[in-house]
Amino acid sequence: MSREDTLVIHEIYASIQGESSFAGLPCTFIRTTGCNLRCVWCDTPQAFYGGTRKARGDVLREALALRTAVVEVTGGEPLLQPAVLPLLRELCDAGRTVLLETSGEADVARVDPRVHKIMDLKAPASGESHRNRWSNLEHIGAGDEIKFVLADRGDYEFMRDVVRERDLPRRTPHLLASTVFGALAPKDLVRWVLDDGLPVRVQLQMHKYVWPPDARGV
Ligand code: SF4
């Protein structure tokens, strides 16, 4: 089988979508193994290694069998695996609303346009902001979302400047601002956003309030 026929998968499970403008909706998650970044606050380091190599058709069948209208492909970094592009296409063909969580470093140019890309732009405290692939912004449209995960005031100012200087609201109305759990108080972020009149959606990671902190597969 070719590299387009198989994927290394960490887990496939149904839960609620915890973030983005789809937050709260039942969602099937396909979590791929492997990431080429190492954000200091990464909350899925368990997906860096291991996993099970599966035929793409089996991954598709397993995900569709969970029967949610929304399916998200996440990681790790899904776009490191060539089979993710055809898998995304097949999920769309099956009538699902398809989300792709991606780091902002991987090239999103060839992602099926029906997919809602939820793309990070890494802020300085992640340790990976030098990896942002700014040309990806050319491929972000109104159905896509840009996410900032913020650990401190410096990260907030990075987001504020990027939103303004790169005119992100012109590309998409879905600009997401999250806090690193336990590092930045959401009330501080809300205050800063209000003070600056910034057109972002402050979001809390809903699944972390629903499930225990050490839960996997949620
Ligand atoms: S890009 Fe995502 S999976 Fe990779 S290290 Fe950063 S937070 Fe973790």
Side-chain angles (χ1 to χ4, degrees):
M1 282 201 262
S2 78
R3 292 180 70 219
E4 293 224 336
D5 294 329
T6 65
L7 301 105
V8 183
I9 295 293
H10 185 71
E11 55 190 348
I12 300 174
Y13 61 96
S15 183
I16 58 159
Q17 175 59 244
E19 301 177 89
S20 81
S21 58
F22 297 87
L25 294 176
C27 179
T28 294
F29 293 85
I30 302 172
R31 186 179 304 286
T32 61
T33 298
C35 187
N36 56 339
L37 302 191
R38 289 292 181 270
C39 305
V40 297
W41 38 253
C42 179
D43 60 0
T44 52
Q46 73 276 13
F48 289 166
Y49 307 105
T52 306
R53 184 168 290 280
K54 297 185 175 190
R56 196 177 82 228
D58 290 342
V59 174
L60 181 67
R61 271 187 291 280
E62 211 177 312
L64 296 180
L66 293 171
R67 296 173 48 197
T68 59
V70 181
V71 178
E72 175 175 297
V73 181
T74 186
E77 172 48 61
L79 293 176
L80 294 177
Q81 302 193 44
V84 163
L85 290 176
L87 176 66
L88 290 167
R89 203 162 51 235
E90 289 158 352
L91 289 164
C92 292
D93 291 345
R96 297 306 197 264
T97 296
V98 181
L99 317 182
L100 168 68
E101 282 260 7
T102 183
S103 68
E105 187 278 338
D107 186 355
V108 301
R110 294 175 56 227
V111 174
D112 189 296
R114 293 171 293 178
V115 172
H116 301 272
K117 298 182 285 293
I118 302 171
M119 190 184 82
D120 283 5
L121 285 176
K122 299 296 184 190
S126 70
E128 294 286 20
S129 61
H130 59 291
R131 306 288 294 275
N132 288 324
R133 186 186 293 261
W134 295 104
S135 59
N136 272 340
L137 291 177
E138 299 303 319
H139 307 287
I140 296 296
D144 299 318
E145 314 204 354
I146 298 176
K147 183 171 80 174
F148 297 85
V149 181
L150 310 171
D152 55 27
R153 174 73 193 183
D155 278 0
Y156 170 77
E157 291 178 2
F158 168 86
M159 174 183 73
R160 182 191 62 198
D161 294 348
V162 168
V163 167
R164 288 176 175 169
E165 289 165 13
R166 296 186 182 260
D167 199 8
L168 296 188
R170 185 174 56 85
R171 299 194 178 278
T172 173
H174 306 297
L175 303 176
L176 312 173
S178 296
T179 58
V180 176
F181 200 67
L184 175 60
K187 67 177 171 44
D188 291 339
L189 175 58
V190 169
R191 174 51 51 204
W192 299 337
V193 165
L194 292 174
D195 286 349
D196 287 330
L198 208 60
V200 298
R201 181 193 297 254
V202 174
Q203 58 169 11
L204 304 177
Q205 294 176 298
M206 192 183 286
H207 51 291
K208 294 193 174 168
Y209 294 85
V210 177
W211 308 105
D214 56 349
R216 297 280 181 257
V218 296

